[in-house]
Amino acid sequence: VIDIRKLYAGTGKFTYDPGFMSTAACNSSITYIDGDKGELLYRGYPIEQLAVNCDFLETCYLLLHGELPNATQKTEFVNTVTQHTMVHEQMNFFFRGFRRDAHPMAVLTGSVGALSAFYHDSLDISNPVHRDVSAIRMIAKLPTLVAMAYKYNIGQPFVYPRNDLSYSANFMRMMFANPCEEYKVNDVLVRALDRILILHADHEQNASTSTVRLSGSSGANPFACIAAGIACLWGPAHGGANEAALTMLESIGSVDKIPEFIKQVKDKNSGVKLMGFGHRVYKNYDPRAKLMRETCYEVLNELGLHDDPLFKLAMELEKIALEDDYFVSRKLYPNVDFYSGIVQRALGIPTSMFTCIFAMARTVGWIAQWNEMISDPEQKIGRPRQLFVGSPRRDVAPIDKR
Ligand code: ACO
């Protein structure tokens, strides 16, 4: 690693690195990825162990505080989060300003940004207590806002949070409860959602996290920064890939059409990609994809859908691709999105909500990264340079001479 700042100090030189392919923008002690090995660690703990032994709120505590909570710390943390699950009643009116057919991500970006107008008693970013309160508020309120965006979209009344339920069970109730009936929590499905949240909780300096850090570097309040992260996540190259993978599987339709589809993928002029495959950092199996495939199996089994044609198709597609030299030579393996769409669909989550679920999970990662940046004594406003390729200096002609 070369510290370019020292190397170029006073020389007027800078590096050109579009897409930040080889530039580290910060120090971080939160998440580590070894793309060649296919390893993902949160604060040093392998994702495989966290997914099996911890729930989402324990993972949140770990990402925020650097250590897993003991039993007392966990109880305190869960109690604190659940105290903040309600949103200000005025938010109901704010929601009513949106068109019902607005994309839920548009509603989420707007409503999270608006939180800073409701919770301005925790906006002093130089005060660690304010930063903690804002972090808890966001982790607690995101499920409420996501469920509200869904209910608003389908024209049903909002379901208020119930704090005797776990984080994921409460979210599923707010999404799916029918006001006329008691909602029955299914532990297998709740556990599956919890796992989706754990697997998406952080992924070091991806586009949305970098957006949060860059926004925060100006001193903007955390609600505004997370809203910026959500806007970035909305892009199809980032948060929208699981939806694209599901659409791809549906369009392939059956196992016997796989060879024809693979032929198209290999034809560079077709523009067709195997969605849910390949990753900028992982050049091996994405460890999250393995866990997601397991979860997919558990959920489908629980729902009596063991013969789900899309799951069978996905597994066969994976098998064929992993034996094909095109994918092997390019080190293209399934990523987390390959199976997560099938799981979410089985949980009853509509495709248009997939990216909102991702945002809900990633909020803790964003806020942990934002907090790390604000606490860093070396922190400076993010201000990339540019390679100017426009017109050289010229004079303005009067309008009748242009
Ligand atoms: N299907 C077919 N070919 C692929 C795929 C794919 N999914 N991914 C990469 N390739 C090929 C490229 O065409 C390129 O081939 P070439 O060397 O013959 O030109 C080679 O593999 C290298 O690919 P790059 O595009 O250079 O890899 P990059 O790191 O820039 O892209 C990305 C990574 C964007 C994830 C890419 O693999 C992709 O588009 N995958 C499909 C979309 C997807 O699943 N995105 C989710 C990522 S995970 C997440 O965001 C949570």
Side-chain angles (χ1 to χ4, degrees), residues 238 241 265 268 273-280 283 326 330 332 335-337 358:
H238 191 3
V265 172
K268 291 283 175 187
K273 274 192 169 178
L274 177 44
M275 298 310 286
F277 255 66
H279 197 276
R280 172 62 61 81
K283 299 303 166 197
Y326 175 92
R330 289 172 177 78
L332 300 172
N335 60 50
V336 67
D337 290 319
F358 193 161

Side-chain angles (χ1 to χ4, degrees), residues 365-377:
W366 289 328
I367 200 81
Q369 300 266 354
W370 171 85
N371 209 4
E372 182 177 63
M373 179 197 65
I374 297 290
S375 317
D376 182 351

Side-chain angles (χ1 to χ4, degrees), residues 25-28 33 203-210 213 369 372:
C26 61
N27 291 313
S28 181
I33 304 174
H203 214 228
E204 52 120 304
Q205 308 311 317
N206 55 82
S208 57
T209 303
S210 302
R213 278 188 177 256
Q369 300 266 354
E372 182 177 63

Side-chain angles (χ1 to χ4, degrees), residues 52-64:
V52 171
N53 297 305
C54 299
D55 64 23
F56 179 63
L57 283 184
E58 281 171 79
T59 309
C60 289
Y61 187 99
L62 172 69
L63 289 168
L64 292 173

Side-chain angles (χ1 to χ4, degrees), residues 100-174:
R100 291 251 178 213
D101 58 358
H103 194 287
M105 279 298 276
V107 176
L108 194 64
T109 312
S111 55
V112 171
L115 289 179
S116 49
F118 289 95
Y119 302 103
H120 36 78
D121 56 339
S122 64
L123 297 185
D124 177 3
I125 61 165
S126 64
N127 182 338
V129 177
H130 279 219
R131 297 208 297 270
D132 283 354
V133 173
S134 289
I136 296 287
R137 279 179 166 157
M138 262 177 288
I139 292 164
K141 291 180 200 309
L142 250 286
T144 314
L145 292 175
V146 169
M148 285 172 81
Y150 176 57
K151 288 293 196 193
Y152 188 72
N153 185 251
I154 59 172
Q156 285 188 7
F158 299 135
V159 176
Y160 282 67
R162 254 208 21 212
N163 292 341
D164 57 327
L165 296 175
S166 73
Y167 190 85
S168 294
N170 172 48
F171 173 68
M172 287 185 79
R173 183 179 165 275
M174 288 191 292

Side-chain angles (χ1 to χ4, degrees), residues 50 59 72 82 112 115 122 148 209 224 227-228 246 257 280 286 296 322 356 358 387:
L50 293 169
T59 309
T72 316
T82 46
V112 171
L115 289 179
S122 64
M148 285 172 81
T209 303
L246 193 65
K257 303 266 171 53
R280 172 62 61 81
D286 177 342
C296 198
L322 293 183
C356 292
F358 193 161
L387 203 55

